[in-house]
Amino acid sequence: MVIAGGGAVSWKPLLLPQEAPVATVTALPNYVWDSFRCEPRPDPVPDARDSSDPQAPPDRSASRAFATSAGYSARMRSSLTPLGPPVSRDRIITSFPKWYTPDACLQLKEHFHGQVSATCQRRNTGTVGLRLSKVVVVGDLYVGKTSLIHRFCKNVFDRDYKATIGVDFEIERFEIAGIPYSLQIWDTAGQEKFKCIASAYYRGAQVIITAFDLTDVQTLEHTRQWLEDALRENEPGSCFVFLVGTKKDLLSGAACEQAEVEAVHLANEMKAEYWSVSAKTGENVKAFFSRVAALAFEQSVLQDLERRNSTRLQVGDGDLIRMEGSPPETQESTTSSSLGCC
């Protein structure tokens, strides 16, 4: 813009809307910054440039102190962060769960093994809390295997479940005696055409659950073959075996008692623990899987303790060192002399 007057010409810049002055952010007080934070702000470290001399260099030691304190606070926050989501309250097991009937149970006791309890108190369970214990559920078609698993893991029941194709599994997390523990529950198909596929997933099972329908006697008779197929893929004596009667809600009191008498007799022959459950009403479902988890957890801890003890015994054992080609008396004399010299 040109303004003429008195023979003098002056120039003034014309400010367009897009050339409006940009506002600058000045230093805000500490309490203003604190209102934007989600955690307490550490006390500020005085800077040398706040002194009377505006040209003074920054205080390096103060900056290092502030960085050290900030790093320490971050480490403290990370050490308190839990690993993974917390376990739901109904998955916390503090005492040993009770059996369903003393006539067919694996262990007649009400407390964890003494060594297991002491190990859990010292938090010295090794890698037990990092492993998945495998649980395999087998049985005839439509006996309710999938309904039983979904009732426990998802707390749902659906009348129109379709037949399982091949295999499926769910992972359920527990906290037993203060130690994290997880079960990998495998749902296998009950159809004959999928047996060759499902049998490959029986290997490495720590628990085998053979399910049958309380309203169908034939499904109870077929549990022998299902258990035989599952045990064939595992080492003898390495699995807990459970015999579970489903659809308990469909039987009256007298009929249910009669079916359970036959099931208990078969469970004793199979060396299994017997349970009656109902996926529809949820009766005994949580108690049953808590019992499964407790038995598997106790066995895992005891096996880990046994492995550690055997490893300690092998270290420094002079009898483990043999000299090839020398007679037995030479080996004994060499061993005794080498031990006596120290």
Side-chain angles (χ1 to χ4, degrees), residues 41-97:
R41 181 175 181 267
D43 296 334
V45 179
D47 196 331
R49 286 177 293 182
D50 296 336
S51 59
S52 58
D53 186 5
Q55 302 297 329
D59 188 356
R60 302 298 182 185
S61 61
S63 300
R64 286 194 298 269
F66 175 77
T68 302
S69 62
Y72 176 76
S73 301
R75 288 194 301 272
M76 287 294 293
R77 288 194 298 270
S78 63
S79 63
L80 297 177
T81 303
L83 297 176
V87 179
S88 58
R89 185 174 300 177
D90 59 346
R91 300 295 187 266
I92 299 177
I93 302 174
T94 56
S95 59
F96 201 80

Short mmCIF file of all heavy atoms in Angstrom, two decimals, residues 41-97:
data_model
loop_
_atom_site.label_atom_id
_atom_site.label_comp_id
_atom_site.label_asym_id
_atom_site.label_seq_id
_atom_site.Cartn_x
_atom_site.Cartn_y
_atom_site.Cartn_z
N ARG A 41 4.58 -36.11 37.82
CA ARG A 41 5.74 -35.57 37.13
C ARG A 41 6.88 -35.40 38.12
O ARG A 41 6.67 -34.88 39.22
CB ARG A 41 5.38 -34.22 36.51
CG ARG A 41 6.51 -33.55 35.75
CD ARG A 41 5.99 -32.28 35.07
NE ARG A 41 7.04 -31.63 34.30
CZ ARG A 41 7.81 -30.68 34.78
NH1 ARG A 41 7.66 -30.29 36.03
NH2 ARG A 41 8.73 -30.11 34.02
N PRO A 42 8.08 -35.88 37.79
CA PRO A 42 9.21 -35.71 38.73
C PRO A 42 9.56 -34.24 38.90
O PRO A 42 9.28 -33.41 38.05
CB PRO A 42 10.34 -36.49 38.03
CG PRO A 42 9.97 -36.53 36.61
CD PRO A 42 8.48 -36.57 36.56
N ASP A 43 10.14 -33.95 40.04
CA ASP A 43 10.55 -32.56 40.31
C ASP A 43 11.55 -32.10 39.28
O ASP A 43 12.47 -32.83 38.90
CB ASP A 43 11.17 -32.47 41.71
CG ASP A 43 10.14 -32.80 42.80
OD1 ASP A 43 8.94 -32.61 42.52
OD2 ASP A 43 10.56 -33.26 43.87
N PRO A 44 11.40 -30.85 38.79
CA PRO A 44 12.33 -30.36 37.77
C PRO A 44 13.72 -30.17 38.34
O PRO A 44 13.90 -29.83 39.51
CB PRO A 44 11.70 -29.04 37.33
CG PRO A 44 10.88 -28.60 38.50
CD PRO A 44 10.37 -29.85 39.13
N VAL A 45 14.70 -30.40 37.50
CA VAL A 45 16.10 -30.20 37.88
C VAL A 45 16.50 -28.80 37.47
O VAL A 45 16.29 -28.40 36.32
CB VAL A 45 17.00 -31.24 37.18
CG1 VAL A 45 18.45 -31.02 37.57
CG2 VAL A 45 16.55 -32.64 37.57
N PRO A 46 17.06 -28.02 38.37
CA PRO A 46 17.44 -26.64 38.01
C PRO A 46 18.49 -26.65 36.91
O PRO A 46 19.40 -27.47 36.88
CB PRO A 46 17.98 -26.07 39.32
CG PRO A 46 18.35 -27.27 40.14
CD PRO A 46 17.40 -28.34 39.77
N ASP A 47 18.33 -25.74 35.99
CA ASP A 47 19.24 -25.60 34.87
C ASP A 47 20.13 -24.39 35.10
O ASP A 47 19.68 -23.36 35.62
CB ASP A 47 18.45 -25.42 33.56
CG ASP A 47 19.32 -25.68 32.34
OD1 ASP A 47 20.55 -25.44 32.42
OD2 ASP A 47 18.76 -26.10 31.34
N ALA A 48 21.38 -24.52 34.71
CA ALA A 48 22.34 -23.42 34.91
C ALA A 48 21.96 -22.20 34.09
O ALA A 48 22.34 -21.08 34.42
CB ALA A 48 23.76 -23.88 34.55
N ARG A 49 21.20 -22.40 33.01
CA ARG A 49 20.84 -21.26 32.18
C ARG A 49 19.81 -20.37 32.83
O ARG A 49 19.53 -19.28 32.37
CB ARG A 49 20.28 -21.77 30.84
CG ARG A 49 21.35 -22.32 29.94
CD ARG A 49 20.76 -22.88 28.68
NE ARG A 49 19.96 -24.07 28.96
CZ ARG A 49 19.36 -24.78 28.02
NH1 ARG A 49 19.49 -24.43 26.75
NH2 ARG A 49 18.64 -25.84 28.34
N ASP A 50 19.19 -20.82 33.94
CA ASP A 50 18.25 -19.99 34.68
C ASP A 50 18.94 -19.00 35.61
O ASP A 50 18.29 -18.27 36.33
CB ASP A 50 17.32 -20.87 35.52
CG ASP A 50 16.47 -21.74 34.63
OD1 ASP A 50 16.28 -21.34 33.46
OD2 ASP A 50 16.00 -22.80 35.11
N SER A 51 20.27 -19.01 35.60
CA SER A 51 21.01 -18.10 36.47
C SER A 51 20.99 -16.70 35.88
O SER A 51 20.38 -16.41 34.86
CB SER A 51 22.45 -18.59 36.64
OG SER A 51 23.08 -18.67 35.37
N SER A 52 21.71 -15.85 36.50
CA SER A 52 21.73 -14.45 36.07
C SER A 52 22.40 -14.28 34.72
O SER A 52 22.12 -13.34 34.00
CB SER A 52 22.44 -13.61 37.14
OG SER A 52 23.76 -14.12 37.33
N ASP A 53 23.30 -15.17 34.37
CA ASP A 53 23.99 -15.06 33.09
C ASP A 53 23.18 -15.77 32.02
O ASP A 53 23.09 -16.99 32.03
CB ASP A 53 25.38 -15.69 33.20
CG ASP A 53 26.20 -15.46 31.92
OD1 ASP A 53 25.69 -14.73 31.02
OD2 ASP A 53 27.30 -16.02 31.83
N PRO A 54 22.57 -15.06 31.07
CA PRO A 54 21.76 -15.74 30.05
C PRO A 54 22.57 -16.57 29.09
O PRO A 54 22.04 -17.44 28.43
CB PRO A 54 21.05 -14.58 29.35
CG PRO A 54 21.93 -13.40 29.54
CD PRO A 54 22.57 -13.59 30.89
N GLN A 55 23.88 -16.33 28.98
CA GLN A 55 24.72 -17.06 28.05
C GLN A 55 25.40 -18.27 28.68
O GLN A 55 26.25 -18.90 28.04
CB GLN A 55 25.81 -16.11 27.47
CG GLN A 55 25.24 -14.91 26.76
CD GLN A 55 24.41 -15.28 25.55
OE1 GLN A 55 24.70 -16.29 24.90
NE2 GLN A 55 23.38 -14.48 25.23
N ALA A 56 25.06 -18.60 29.92
CA ALA A 56 25.73 -19.71 30.60
C ALA A 56 25.37 -21.02 29.93
O ALA A 56 24.23 -21.22 29.52
CB ALA A 56 25.32 -19.74 32.08
N PRO A 57 26.32 -21.94 29.78
CA PRO A 57 26.03 -23.24 29.13
C PRO A 57 25.16 -24.10 30.03
O PRO A 57 25.10 -23.91 31.24
CB PRO A 57 27.43 -23.84 28.95
CG PRO A 57 28.24 -23.23 30.04
CD PRO A 57 27.72 -21.82 30.22
N PRO A 58 24.47 -25.06 29.45
CA PRO A 58 23.61 -25.95 30.26
C PRO A 58 24.43 -26.82 31.19
O PRO A 58 25.56 -27.19 30.88
CB PRO A 58 22.87 -26.78 29.22
CG PRO A 58 23.76 -26.75 28.01
CD PRO A 58 24.43 -25.41 28.02
N ASP A 59 23.84 -27.16 32.32
CA ASP A 59 24.50 -27.98 33.32
C ASP A 59 24.37 -29.45 32.91
O ASP A 59 23.29 -30.03 32.99
CB ASP A 59 23.87 -27.75 34.69
CG ASP A 59 24.66 -28.44 35.80
OD1 ASP A 59 25.63 -29.15 35.48
OD2 ASP A 59 24.28 -28.26 36.97
N ARG A 60 25.46 -30.05 32.43
CA ARG A 60 25.41 -31.44 31.96
C ARG A 60 25.13 -32.41 33.09
O ARG A 60 24.45 -33.41 32.91
CB ARG A 60 26.73 -31.80 31.28
CG ARG A 60 27.08 -30.91 30.09
CD ARG A 60 26.02 -31.03 29.00
NE ARG A 60 26.36 -30.22 27.86
CZ ARG A 60 25.58 -30.05 26.80
NH1 ARG A 60 24.39 -30.65 26.77
NH2 ARG A 60 25.95 -29.29 25.79
N SER A 61 25.67 -32.18 34.26
CA SER A 61 25.45 -33.10 35.38
C SER A 61 23.99 -33.12 35.78
O SER A 61 23.43 -34.17 36.11
CB SER A 61 26.33 -32.70 36.56
OG SER A 61 26.00 -31.39 37.01
N ALA A 62 23.33 -31.97 35.74
CA ALA A 62 21.91 -31.93 36.08
C ALA A 62 21.08 -32.68 35.06
O ALA A 62 20.13 -33.38 35.39
CB ALA A 62 21.44 -30.47 36.18
N SER A 63 21.45 -32.56 33.78
CA SER A 63 20.71 -33.29 32.75
C SER A 63 20.87 -34.79 32.92
O SER A 63 19.92 -35.55 32.75
CB SER A 63 21.20 -32.86 31.35
OG SER A 63 21.00 -31.47 31.18
N ARG A 64 22.12 -35.22 33.25
CA ARG A 64 22.34 -36.64 33.47
C ARG A 64 21.55 -37.13 34.68
O ARG A 64 21.02 -38.24 34.67
CB ARG A 64 23.83 -36.92 33.65
CG ARG A 64 24.63 -36.85 32.36
CD ARG A 64 26.01 -37.46 32.56
NE ARG A 64 26.78 -36.75 33.56
CZ ARG A 64 27.60 -35.73 33.29
NH1 ARG A 64 27.72 -35.32 32.04
NH2 ARG A 64 28.26 -35.15 34.23
N ALA A 65 21.47 -36.33 35.73
CA ALA A 65 20.71 -36.73 36.91
C ALA A 65 19.23 -36.88 36.59
O ALA A 65 18.56 -37.81 37.03
CB ALA A 65 20.90 -35.70 38.03
N PHE A 66 18.71 -35.95 35.77
CA PHE A 66 17.29 -36.04 35.39
C PHE A 66 17.04 -37.28 34.55
O PHE A 66 16.05 -37.98 34.73
CB PHE A 66 16.90 -34.78 34.62
CG PHE A 66 15.50 -34.85 34.07
CD1 PHE A 66 14.42 -34.65 34.91
CD2 PHE A 66 15.28 -35.12 32.73
CE1 PHE A 66 13.13 -34.73 34.41
CE2 PHE A 66 13.99 -35.19 32.23
CZ PHE A 66 12.92 -34.99 33.07
N ALA A 67 17.96 -37.59 33.61
CA ALA A 67 17.78 -38.77 32.76
C ALA A 67 17.85 -40.04 33.58
O ALA A 67 17.10 -41.00 33.36
CB ALA A 67 18.84 -38.79 31.66
N THR A 68 18.77 -40.05 34.57
CA THR A 68 18.89 -41.24 35.42
C THR A 68 17.63 -41.47 36.23
O THR A 68 17.13 -42.59 36.34
CB THR A 68 20.10 -41.09 36.35
OG1 THR A 68 21.27 -40.90 35.56
CG2 THR A 68 20.27 -42.34 37.21
N SER A 69 17.09 -40.39 36.81
CA SER A 69 15.87 -40.55 37.60
C SER A 69 14.69 -40.96 36.75
O SER A 69 13.86 -41.78 37.15
CB SER A 69 15.55 -39.23 38.33
OG SER A 69 15.31 -38.20 37.38
N ALA A 70 14.59 -40.42 35.52
CA ALA A 70 13.49 -40.80 34.63
C ALA A 70 13.61 -42.25 34.21
O ALA A 70 12.62 -42.98 34.15
CB ALA A 70 13.48 -39.88 33.41
N GLY A 71 14.84 -42.70 33.92
CA GLY A 71 15.04 -44.10 33.54
C GLY A 71 14.72 -45.05 34.68
O GLY A 71 14.15 -46.11 34.47
N TYR A 72 15.08 -44.65 35.91
CA TYR A 72 14.77 -45.50 37.06
C TYR A 72 13.27 -45.63 37.26
O TYR A 72 12.76 -46.71 37.54
CB TYR A 72 15.42 -44.90 38.31
CG TYR A 72 15.10 -45.64 39.58
CD1 TYR A 72 15.71 -46.86 39.86
CD2 TYR A 72 14.17 -45.14 40.48
CE1 TYR A 72 15.41 -47.55 41.02
CE2 TYR A 72 13.87 -45.82 41.64
CZ TYR A 72 14.50 -47.02 41.91
OH TYR A 72 14.20 -47.70 43.05
N SER A 73 12.54 -44.51 37.08
CA SER A 73 11.09 -44.57 37.22
C SER A 73 10.48 -45.47 36.16
O SER A 73 9.54 -46.21 36.42
CB SER A 73 10.50 -43.16 37.12
OG SER A 73 11.03 -42.34 38.14
N ALA A 74 11.01 -45.41 34.92
CA ALA A 74 10.47 -46.27 33.86
C ALA A 74 10.73 -47.73 34.15
O ALA A 74 9.86 -48.57 33.91
CB ALA A 74 11.11 -45.87 32.52
N ARG A 75 11.93 -48.04 34.70
CA ARG A 75 12.22 -49.43 35.03
C ARG A 75 11.32 -49.93 36.15
O ARG A 75 10.88 -51.08 36.15
CB ARG A 75 13.69 -49.58 35.43
CG ARG A 75 14.66 -49.46 34.26
CD ARG A 75 16.04 -49.96 34.67
NE ARG A 75 16.59 -49.21 35.79
CZ ARG A 75 17.31 -48.11 35.66
NH1 ARG A 75 17.55 -47.60 34.46
NH2 ARG A 75 17.78 -47.49 36.72
N MET A 76 11.03 -49.06 37.12
CA MET A 76 10.15 -49.46 38.20
C MET A 76 8.75 -49.75 37.68
O MET A 76 8.11 -50.71 38.08
CB MET A 76 10.10 -48.36 39.26
CG MET A 76 11.37 -48.26 40.10
SD MET A 76 11.60 -49.73 41.12
CE MET A 76 10.23 -49.58 42.23
N ARG A 77 8.26 -48.90 36.75
CA ARG A 77 6.93 -49.14 36.20
C ARG A 77 6.88 -50.42 35.39
O ARG A 77 5.92 -51.17 35.45
CB ARG A 77 6.52 -47.95 35.33
CG ARG A 77 6.19 -46.69 36.11
CD ARG A 77 5.49 -45.69 35.22
NE ARG A 77 6.31 -45.27 34.11
CZ ARG A 77 7.14 -44.23 34.14
NH1 ARG A 77 7.24 -43.53 35.24
NH2 ARG A 77 7.86 -43.91 33.08
N SER A 78 7.95 -50.73 34.62
CA SER A 78 7.94 -51.94 33.82
C SER A 78 8.04 -53.19 34.67
O SER A 78 7.48 -54.24 34.34
CB SER A 78 9.11 -51.92 32.82
OG SER A 78 10.34 -51.89 33.51
N SER A 79 8.75 -53.12 35.82
CA SER A 79 8.87 -54.29 36.67
C SER A 79 7.56 -54.62 37.38
O SER A 79 7.33 -55.75 37.76
CB SER A 79 9.97 -54.07 37.72
OG SER A 79 9.62 -52.99 38.58
N LEU A 80 6.68 -53.62 37.54
CA LEU A 80 5.42 -53.85 38.19
C LEU A 80 4.32 -54.23 37.22
O LEU A 80 3.22 -54.54 37.63
CB LEU A 80 4.99 -52.59 38.96
CG LEU A 80 5.91 -52.16 40.11
CD1 LEU A 80 5.41 -50.87 40.72
CD2 LEU A 80 6.01 -53.25 41.15
N THR A 81 4.60 -54.21 35.92
CA THR A 81 3.59 -54.54 34.93
C THR A 81 3.37 -56.05 34.90
O THR A 81 4.32 -56.81 34.74
CB THR A 81 4.03 -54.06 33.53
OG1 THR A 81 4.28 -52.66 33.60
CG2 THR A 81 2.93 -54.35 32.50
N PRO A 82 2.16 -56.54 35.07
CA PRO A 82 1.92 -57.99 35.06
C PRO A 82 2.11 -58.57 33.67
O PRO A 82 1.91 -57.89 32.66
CB PRO A 82 0.47 -58.11 35.52
CG PRO A 82 -0.16 -56.79 35.16
CD PRO A 82 0.94 -55.78 35.30
N LEU A 83 2.52 -59.84 33.60
CA LEU A 83 2.71 -60.54 32.34
C LEU A 83 1.39 -61.13 31.89
O LEU A 83 0.94 -62.13 32.45
CB LEU A 83 3.78 -61.62 32.48
CG LEU A 83 5.18 -61.13 32.83
CD1 LEU A 83 6.11 -62.31 33.03
CD2 LEU A 83 5.72 -60.21 31.76
N GLY A 84 0.76 -60.54 30.89
CA GLY A 84 -0.50 -61.05 30.38
C GLY A 84 -1.68 -60.62 31.24
O GLY A 84 -1.51 -60.05 32.32
N PRO A 85 -2.88 -60.87 30.77
CA PRO A 85 -4.06 -60.48 31.53
C PRO A 85 -4.20 -61.30 32.81
O PRO A 85 -3.72 -62.43 32.88
CB PRO A 85 -5.21 -60.78 30.54
CG PRO A 85 -4.66 -61.83 29.63
CD PRO A 85 -3.20 -61.54 29.51
N PRO A 86 -4.83 -60.76 33.81
CA PRO A 86 -4.99 -61.52 35.07
C PRO A 86 -5.92 -62.70 34.88
O PRO A 86 -6.79 -62.72 34.02
CB PRO A 86 -5.58 -60.47 36.03
CG PRO A 86 -6.24 -59.47 35.14
CD PRO A 86 -5.42 -59.42 33.89
N VAL A 87 -5.76 -63.71 35.73
CA VAL A 87 -6.59 -64.90 35.70
C VAL A 87 -7.94 -64.58 36.35
O VAL A 87 -7.99 -63.88 37.36
CB VAL A 87 -5.90 -66.06 36.41
CG1 VAL A 87 -6.76 -67.30 36.41
CG2 VAL A 87 -4.57 -66.36 35.76
N SER A 88 -9.02 -65.07 35.78
CA SER A 88 -10.34 -64.83 36.35
C SER A 88 -10.44 -65.50 37.72
O SER A 88 -9.73 -66.46 38.03
CB SER A 88 -11.43 -65.36 35.43
OG SER A 88 -11.27 -66.74 35.19
N ARG A 89 -11.32 -64.97 38.53
CA ARG A 89 -11.39 -65.41 39.93
C ARG A 89 -11.74 -66.89 40.05
O ARG A 89 -11.26 -67.58 40.96
CB ARG A 89 -12.41 -64.56 40.67
CG ARG A 89 -12.50 -64.83 42.17
CD ARG A 89 -13.42 -63.84 42.84
NE ARG A 89 -12.95 -62.47 42.65
CZ ARG A 89 -13.62 -61.41 43.10
NH1 ARG A 89 -14.76 -61.56 43.75
NH2 ARG A 89 -13.14 -60.19 42.89
N ASP A 90 -12.61 -67.40 39.16
CA ASP A 90 -13.00 -68.80 39.27
C ASP A 90 -11.95 -69.76 38.73
O ASP A 90 -12.17 -70.97 38.73
CB ASP A 90 -14.33 -69.03 38.54
CG ASP A 90 -14.25 -68.67 37.07
OD1 ASP A 90 -13.27 -68.02 36.67
OD2 ASP A 90 -15.16 -69.05 36.31
N ARG A 91 -10.82 -69.24 38.25
CA ARG A 91 -9.70 -70.09 37.81
C ARG A 91 -8.56 -70.10 38.82
O ARG A 91 -7.50 -70.63 38.54
CB ARG A 91 -9.18 -69.61 36.45
CG ARG A 91 -10.20 -69.64 35.32
CD ARG A 91 -10.64 -71.05 35.01
NE ARG A 91 -11.49 -71.09 33.83
CZ ARG A 91 -12.81 -71.06 33.84
NH1 ARG A 91 -13.44 -70.97 35.01
NH2 ARG A 91 -13.51 -71.10 32.73
N ILE A 92 -8.76 -69.50 39.97
CA ILE A 92 -7.74 -69.48 41.03
C ILE A 92 -8.01 -70.64 41.98
O ILE A 92 -9.09 -70.75 42.57
CB ILE A 92 -7.75 -68.14 41.78
CG1 ILE A 92 -7.44 -66.99 40.81
CG2 ILE A 92 -6.74 -68.17 42.93
CD1 ILE A 92 -7.51 -65.62 41.46
N ILE A 93 -7.04 -71.52 42.12
CA ILE A 93 -7.17 -72.71 42.96
C ILE A 93 -6.15 -72.60 44.09
O ILE A 93 -4.94 -72.58 43.85
CB ILE A 93 -6.93 -74.00 42.14
CG1 ILE A 93 -7.93 -74.08 40.99
CG2 ILE A 93 -7.03 -75.23 43.03
CD1 ILE A 93 -7.67 -75.25 40.05
N THR A 94 -6.64 -72.51 45.30
CA THR A 94 -5.76 -72.39 46.48
C THR A 94 -5.68 -73.69 47.27
O THR A 94 -4.67 -73.94 47.93
CB THR A 94 -6.24 -71.25 47.39
OG1 THR A 94 -7.61 -71.49 47.75
CG2 THR A 94 -6.15 -69.91 46.66
N SER A 95 -6.73 -74.49 47.26
CA SER A 95 -6.73 -75.76 47.97
C SER A 95 -7.02 -76.89 46.98
O SER A 95 -7.60 -76.66 45.91
CB SER A 95 -7.79 -75.76 49.08
OG SER A 95 -9.08 -75.52 48.55
N PHE A 96 -6.64 -78.10 47.35
CA PHE A 96 -6.77 -79.23 46.44
C PHE A 96 -8.25 -79.56 46.24
O PHE A 96 -8.97 -79.84 47.21
CB PHE A 96 -6.04 -80.44 47.01
CG PHE A 96 -5.69 -81.47 45.99
CD1 PHE A 96 -4.58 -81.30 45.17
CD2 PHE A 96 -6.47 -82.60 45.83
CE1 PHE A 96 -4.27 -82.24 44.22
CE2 PHE A 96 -6.16 -83.55 44.88
CZ PHE A 96 -5.05 -83.37 44.06
N PRO A 97 -8.75 -79.55 45.00
CA PRO A 97 -10.17 -79.83 44.76
C PRO A 97 -10.54 -81.27 45.13
O PRO A 97 -9.73 -82.19 45.00
CB PRO A 97 -10.33 -79.59 43.25
CG PRO A 97 -9.15 -78.77 42.86
CD PRO A 97 -8.04 -79.17 43.76
#
